[in-house]
């Protein structure tokens, strides 16, 4: 049965003292983010952590490494890239969460309640107890771990020619982080397991563009701790190595989807293709924002050539979000869905590469392991697939609400007491005298009113309100720069 989802109980939104630092715990409480694990789930995790289930197949000879943000402990993936004739071999080990978390267990029940790991500025709220997610199941470089080992052979153009996946024991050689690996890539000193990452990543990006994939590439707002122990908001964009590494994950998700479709059972991450009227609306908007749209170019091609730091491009990318609406988890058992594709990927796609942090990936991986072994997925696994869309939708909704509340509260707290000040800003959307602006030199977005707001233009705005309790930042148009 699908678990019922109760609407969140609303508690006071913010401490009464406006000069208090952001209280992220209060936000998590408001949206009923699960904090402590039940005793039975913790007991299971502790028992399994002391005796990790290791499969017979030994893949510890492959010198895998992990590549993640600085300080990560929940390491889902380890990778090794090698040349193979005129093509390449991608070995991608994914944490084998299914070896620890059995269907119907206390850990399984709690993971369904949580749905995914939630990242707040001050703490992680994990999908699984840290004894597993940051210990025995994580692909840390401190010993042998169980994994679902994907071996994907690519031709010279980066297209898959053979795919295998099976359980195996692996050992990561090093825990690497994005900034350090980017510096190595820039210096031409990448370690052997990642030496081919720029080449393979670029090939996969080229194939994605040919498929019509759409990647907005807009910087994310992120709340970060400051050196003095306070908080600020920054815009964070991906480094090239992050984009290349993401292509390895997308490749694996495409291979998983193909396996599911061939096997006529699974759960896909679907996104309908852009509606023609939305593409045409963007095409007509492009000249006004200084965006060049060559004849015959796909939206993804146009978007990939834009610099988000340019005002017109930023406004165009904000509008382009309309192309990526309607994402869903689509389970099937028998005939595959009529629309199996993912518009952002440009192909059918399934989530299987982050099982420590996302519920659905464990189920997708178990389906793939069974199908790759020539077996039918177990009956209880198949029966669970239709439950996943509602569980993931509830979890995604809660995560979005918490992330938005954290940003809104921090933005208001940073600007409190500055009402009446004038700021330089860029208009990213506007209609009928209302719009959204992004402040120059500040990673703050806010609503703005004023006749003459035009997307893609630089303006002067006056801060009218910075309400910490209401999590509201509001500006009015003060004039041209």
């Amino acid at each position: 049965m699908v678990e019922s989802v109760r609407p969140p109980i609303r508690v006071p939104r913010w401490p009464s003292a406006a000069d208090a630092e952001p209280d992220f715990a209060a936000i998590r409480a408001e949206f009923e983010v699960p904090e402590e694990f039940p005793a039975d789930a913790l007991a299971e995790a502790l028992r399994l952590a002391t005796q990790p289930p290791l499969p017979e197949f030994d893949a510890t000879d492959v010198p895998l490494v992990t590549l993640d943000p600085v300080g990560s402990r929940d390491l889902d993936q380890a990778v090794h890239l090698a040349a193979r004739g005129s093509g390449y071999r991608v070995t991608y080990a994914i944490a084998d969460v299914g070896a620890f978390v059995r269907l119907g267990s206390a850990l399984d029940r709690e993971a369904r309640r949580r749905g995914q790991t939630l990242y707040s500025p001050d703490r992680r709220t994990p999908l699984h107890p840290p004894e597993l997610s940051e210990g025995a199941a994580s692909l840390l470089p401190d010993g042998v771990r169980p994994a679902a080992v994907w071996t994907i052979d690519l031709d010279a153009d980066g297209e898959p020619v053979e795919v295998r996946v099976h359980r195996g024991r692996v050992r990561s050689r090093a825990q690497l982080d994005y900034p350090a690996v980017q510096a190595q890539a820039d210096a031409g000193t990448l370690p052997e397991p990642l030496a081919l990452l720029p080449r393979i990543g670029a090939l996969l990006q080229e194939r994605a563009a040919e498929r019509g994939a759409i990647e907005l590439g807009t910087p994310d707002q992120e709340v970060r701790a400051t050196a003095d122990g306070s908080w600020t908001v920054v815009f964070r964009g991906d480094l090239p190595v992050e984009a290349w590494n993401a292509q390895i994950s997308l490749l694996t998700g495409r291979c998983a989807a193909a396996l599911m479709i061939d096997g006529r059972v699974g759960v896909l991450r679907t996104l309908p293709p852009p509606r023609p009227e939305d593409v045409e609306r963007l095409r007509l908007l492009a000249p006004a924002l200084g965006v060049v749209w060559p004849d015959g170019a796909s939206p993804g091609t146009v978007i990939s050539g834009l610099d988000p730091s340019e005002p017109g491009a930023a406004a165009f990318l904000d509008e382009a979000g309309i192309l990526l609406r309607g994402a869903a988890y689509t389970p099937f058992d028998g005939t595959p869905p009529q629309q199996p594709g993912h518009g952002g990927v440009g192909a059918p796609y399934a989530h299987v590469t982050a099982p420590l942090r996302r519920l659905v990936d464990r189920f997708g991986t178990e389906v793939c392991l069974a199908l790759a072994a020539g077996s039918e997925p177990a009956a209880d696994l198949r029966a669970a697939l239709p439950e996943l869309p509602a569980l993931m939708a509830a979890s995604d909704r809660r995560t979005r609400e918490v992330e938005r509340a954290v940003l809104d509260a921090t933005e208001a707290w940073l600007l409190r007491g500055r009402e009446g000040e004038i700021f330089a800003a860029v208009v990213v959307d506007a209609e009928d005298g209302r719009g959204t602006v992004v402040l120059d030199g500040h990673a703050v977005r806010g609503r703005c009113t004023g006749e003459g707001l035009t997307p893609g233009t630089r303006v002067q705005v006056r801060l009218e309100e910075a309400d910490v309790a209401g999590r509201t930042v509001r500006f009015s148009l003060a004039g041209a720069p």
Side-chain angles (χ1 to χ4, degrees):
M1 296 291 291
V2 178
E3 295 183 11
S4 61
V5 179
R6 293 182 292 131
I9 298 172
R10 301 299 179 185
V11 298
R13 284 192 155 199
W14 200 251
S16 58
D19 60 348
E21 288 196 351
D23 187 348
F24 304 124
I27 290 174
R28 290 192 294 271
E30 177 183 341
F31 292 101
E32 295 189 304
V33 174
E35 295 284 354
E36 302 302 322
F37 283 89
D40 53 354
L42 277 177
E44 275 187 18
L46 289 168
R47 175 176 56 80
L48 290 163
T50 59
Q51 294 182 321
L54 295 174
E56 290 185 14
F57 181 80
D58 191 341
T60 56
D61 60 321
V62 182
L64 299 159
V65 297
T66 58
L67 180 55
D68 295 274
V70 176
S72 296
R73 293 287 299 174
D74 47 353
L75 310 183
D76 285 289
Q77 312 110 10
V79 64
H80 180 269
L81 306 174
R84 180 180 175 274
S86 62
Y88 309 92
R89 171 164 289 178
V90 174
T91 304
Y92 208 39
I94 306 300
D96 188 0
V97 178
F100 294 90
V101 181
R102 301 296 185 182
L103 289 174
S105 66
L107 283 169
D108 179 45
R109 291 193 298 272
E110 182 61 13
R112 293 180 190 226
R113 185 168 78 98
R114 292 171 178 247
Q116 61 190 285
T117 296
L118 193 148
Y119 296 89
S120 302
D122 58 334
R123 65 164 294 173
R124 281 189 293 264
T125 306
L127 176 61
H128 305 101
E131 289 81 3
L132 298 182
S133 61
E134 300 178 20
S138 178
L139 300 183
L140 295 160
D142 59 1
V144 177
R145 297 288 197 276
V149 183
W150 290 83
T151 304
I152 305 172
D153 290 336
L154 306 174
D155 64 18
D157 294 323
E159 294 287 2
V161 293
E162 186 175 359
V163 179
R164 299 179 298 282
V165 59
H166 50 76
R167 284 193 154 95
R169 58 180 73 190
V170 301
R171 182 168 65 87
S172 172
R173 301 301 198 271
Q175 180 178 353
L176 308 178
D177 62 72
Y178 291 126
V181 170
Q182 184 63 60
Q184 291 175 318
D186 294 341
T189 59
L190 283 170
E192 184 272 335
L194 296 178
L196 290 170
L197 182 60
R199 175 61 180 154
I200 295 175
L203 277 174
L204 294 173
Q205 287 173 326
E206 291 170 11
R207 301 292 81 76
E210 292 170 357
R211 296 193 306 269
I214 299 172
E215 173 56 56
L216 295 182
T218 50
D220 294 323
Q221 280 182 291
E222 187 176 280
V223 176
R224 284 187 186 171
T226 61
D228 63 2
S230 186
W231 304 99
T232 191
V233 181
V234 299
F235 279 124
R236 183 191 175 282
D238 286 346
L239 295 168
V241 293
E242 293 180 77
W244 298 330
N245 192 51
Q247 287 296 325
I248 303 298
S249 180
L250 292 170
L251 167 69
T252 308
R254 289 193 289 120
C255 293
L259 192 58
M260 292 174 183
I261 290 170
D262 288 345
R264 299 173 65 83
V265 61
V267 55
L268 303 175
R269 183 61 166 164
T270 56
L271 180 70
R275 298 187 308 169
E277 57 266 37
D278 291 333
V279 174
E280 184 60 21
R281 172 185 166 191
L282 276 181
R283 194 190 308 275
L284 294 174
L285 178 64
L289 298 176
V291 172
V292 177
W293 193 314
D295 290 342
S298 68
T301 299
V302 174
I303 288 167
S304 67
L306 298 180
D307 179 356
S309 67
E310 294 293 328
F316 184 86
L317 291 170
D318 198 75
E319 293 291 331
I322 196 173
L323 304 179
L324 298 176
R325 293 179 181 172
Y329 289 99
T330 305
F332 63 99
D333 195 342
T335 304
Q338 263 193 326
Q339 200 295 102
H342 189 290
V345 180
Y349 172 66
H351 276 158
V352 294
T353 62
L356 287 173
R357 294 174 282 134
R358 194 169 47 210
L359 174 70
V360 69
D361 297 50
R362 167 165 55 97
F363 293 82
T365 294
E366 291 299 318
V367 169
C368 288
L369 287 168
L371 293 174
S375 304
E376 291 290 325
D380 55 351
L381 175 61
R382 301 173 90 120
L385 298 181
E387 301 176 12
L388 295 173
L391 295 174
M392 291 306 302
S395 175
D396 286 342
R397 181 170 57 251
R398 179 169 59 204
T399 297
R400 287 193 302 269
E401 289 173 339
V402 170
E403 290 176 347
R404 187 68 258 165
V406 163
L407 280 168
D408 289 346
T410 307
E411 287 175 330
W413 178 74
L414 289 170
L415 293 175
R416 73 203 186 286
R418 301 181 67 178
E419 290 82 353
E421 287 190 31
I422 304 296
F423 297 85
V426 171
V427 182
V428 292
D429 73 60
E431 187 174 2
D432 297 331
R434 298 177 181 272
T436 302
V437 297
V438 177
L439 302 190
D440 282 358
H442 301 75
V444 172
R445 291 172 62 102
R447 300 302 295 168
C448 185
T449 57
E451 295 303 322
L453 286 171
T454 303
T457 59
R458 292 192 180 277
V459 294
Q460 297 285 315
V461 296
R462 178 182 294 103
L463 177 62
E464 299 291 348
E465 181 182 28
D467 181 356
V468 179
R471 300 178 194 148
T472 302
V473 172
R474 185 170 54 84
F475 300 92
S476 66
L477 184 64

